[in-house]
Amino acid sequence: MAQRRMFSLQVVDTDKFMDMPLSARLLYYELGMRADDDGFVASVNRIARTVGCSKEDITTLTDNGYLLTFDSGVVVIKHWKMNNQIRTDRYHSTIYKKEYMQLISDCGEYEFDEIVDLGFD
């Protein structure tokens, strides 16, 4: 996992981002620092507790379109690819393959791929 992380002003220097509570913004930065090289975080609740944030902050980030959540409890930072460009010689792919397969990336933003059939019926 890379040791450096970036945050794009296109994402964090907007009224929508700045209108969120300070605690939700802090949590976004903390998750960004701890995410794997594809933007996935498996311990979002632990990280929130560690930095003094609440489940409401997680909900705020999700409702405002900054996090995508999976049934497994894993989250991905929606704008990860806008924020970070990791050199290929330093990149380590996520271990959350099932979740990653449910996404498409459009213009640097992750979206759920509505067409994906994982065959778990």
Side-chain angles (χ1 to χ4, degrees):
M1 181 166 76
Q3 297 298 308
R4 294 187 176 101
R5 296 293 186 228
M6 300 291 292
F7 295 94
S8 172
L9 287 177
Q10 290 178 311
V11 177
V12 300
D13 196 26
T14 63
D15 287 342
K16 182 178 180 179
F17 187 81
M18 296 304 287
D19 285 344
M20 291 189 301
L22 183 60
S23 56
R25 290 183 278 151
L26 168 67
L27 182 57
Y28 182 78
Y29 292 124
E30 292 291 336
L31 294 173
M33 292 302 297
R34 290 173 173 81
D36 69 15
D37 289 350
D38 287 311
F40 288 84
V41 181
S43 54
V44 66
N45 291 319
R46 181 188 57 79
I47 293 167
R49 283 191 306 272
T50 300
V51 299
C53 296
S54 67
K55 289 192 180 218
E56 285 107 23
D57 295 314
I58 299 167
T59 302
T60 297
L61 289 170
T62 303
D63 290 348
N64 281 286
Y66 291 94
L67 294 180
L68 299 176
T69 60
F70 297 90
D71 292 339
S72 63
V74 172
V75 301
V76 67
I77 298 169
K78 180 176 180 165
H79 304 95
W80 181 257
K81 293 184 178 187
M82 289 175 68
N83 289 332
N84 292 279
Q85 295 177 350
I86 299 171
R87 290 180 14 191
T88 55
D89 63 328
R90 295 178 187 236
Y91 169 77
H92 294 83
S93 63
T94 188
I95 62 171
Y96 304 104
K97 303 293 186 199
K98 183 176 112 182
E99 290 83 359
Y100 187 79
M101 295 297 293
Q102 297 176 52
L103 300 172
I104 56 172
S105 179
D106 185 30
C107 299
E109 294 183 23
Y110 285 125
E111 295 285 343
F112 284 112
D113 186 352
E114 302 299 328
I115 306 172
V116 172
D117 179 12
L118 296 176
F120 296 116
D121 294 356

